Amino acid sequence: MLVEKFIASFSEAPTELILDFDATDDRVHGKQEGRFFHGYYGDWCFLPLYVFCGEQLLVSYLRPSNIDAAKHSWAILPCWSKGCAKSGPR
C-alpha cells in the first residue's frame, strides 16, 4: 500500500528516483530488548534505517545498534524495486 501511495503521488512517471538511505540513533530509556551501547552516539540506542525519496519516507526499519549502519540496505533496495514494478504503470 505504501508503494502504491508513493507512485500515486506523481502526476507522471519520473525519469529517475534518488533514494536516500539514512541510519540514525534512536536512544532508549530503560532496558529494551535489542538495545546496545553505540560508541559514536555515546548512548544506548537502536539504529533504525530510513529510506527517503525527496521528502517522502518510504521505509522505516528498526534495528539494533550493534550492526554496521549500511547493513540491510542491499536487502531493502530490491524489495522496494519489486514493489514499484508491481504497482507501477504497465
Side-chain angles (χ1 to χ4, degrees):
M1 185 162 141
L2 184 59
V3 174
E4 293 163 354
K5 286 186 177 192
F6 172 71
I7 290 171
S9 71
F10 296 97
S11 57
E12 58 184 59
T15 56
E16 73 176 4
L17 296 173
I18 299 173
L19 301 180
D20 181 17
F21 287 73
D22 291 319
T24 189
D25 64 315
D26 182 12
R27 292 191 169 106
V28 297
H29 306 281
K31 296 185 178 182
Q32 290 92 334
E33 184 178 339
R35 73 178 173 93
F36 289 95
F37 186 83
H38 197 288
Y40 179 78
Y41 297 110
D43 212 340
W44 293 89
C45 60
F46 291 101
L47 194 65
L49 179 64
Y50 299 105
V51 182
F52 290 91
C53 183
E55 294 186 9
Q56 294 190 60
L57 177 63
L58 306 178
V59 176
S60 176
Y61 182 57
L62 186 63
R63 311 169 304 160
S65 65
N66 65 337
I67 60 171
D68 183 271
K71 186 167 180 147
H72 302 114
S73 296
W74 288 109
I76 290 172
L77 185 58
C79 292
W80 181 256
S81 299
K82 287 176 189 174
C84 283
K86 284 183 184 176
S87 301
R90 306 281 178 234

